[in-house]
Amino acid sequence: MDQVNVEQFTGLAVALSLGLLIGLQRGWVDREKAAGERIAGIRTHALIALMGGICALLAKVFSELILGFGFLVLAMVVTAAYLNALKVDNNRSITSVIGMFITFALGALAALGQPVIATAAAVITTL
């Protein structure tokens, strides 16, 4: 059995943490909305960052296309959620959508061995 790669595990942990941080802020912004009216909060952003990290690690092992494919899948899901949210609330703000894309990218960056840059960008994104 292969040993656990500490650097990869740490990268995924950082990715998850960054997603939690960004999601905490996004959830706070939308805290007044009823359940079902919010696009994404703490759990969703944490999962998106983890998805970015996992796709990045898979891309290192198999093909860089996996990272692009993961982003494309995220973009399709987020677009569908955004269009559905427009039916409920005519708010056309795309801040949450852009935040989700950034969260994915920062999760990938953290998993690819750049946790300091990813963390700095996540703090700036949260602010």
Side-chain angles (χ1 to χ4, degrees):
M1 181 150 87
D2 294 330
Q3 290 184 346
V4 174
N5 185 322
V6 175
E7 183 179 323
Q8 291 175 345
F9 181 77
T10 303
L12 287 177
V14 170
L16 182 63
S17 299
L18 299 179
L20 289 169
L21 176 67
I22 294 169
L24 182 66
Q25 187 277 334
R26 294 309 309 156
W28 181 259
V29 167
D30 292 337
R31 69 187 178 280
E32 300 298 324
K33 291 184 178 180
E37 291 181 7
R38 298 173 287 226
I39 292 180
I42 190 166
R43 292 175 298 179
T44 303
H45 278 84
L47 291 173
I48 289 171
L50 192 58
M51 178 183 172
I54 291 169
C55 286
L57 292 179
L58 289 172
K60 282 175 64 174
V61 174
F62 298 108
S63 169
E64 293 83 13
L65 294 175
I66 292 174
L67 188 58
F69 181 72
F71 187 82
L72 182 62
V73 168
L74 174 67
M76 291 187 317
V77 170
V78 168
T79 300
Y82 178 76
L83 293 174
N84 189 49
L86 281 177
K87 294 176 186 175
V88 176
D89 181 8
N90 201 24
N91 182 356
R92 298 197 185 276
S93 173
I94 61 168
T95 304
S96 291
V97 173
I98 299 302
M100 286 184 259
F101 294 150
I102 290 172
T103 302
F104 179 90
L106 295 177
L109 191 60
L112 289 173
Q114 299 296 326
V116 174
I117 294 171
T119 301
V123 168
I124 291 168
T125 301
T126 302
L127 293 175

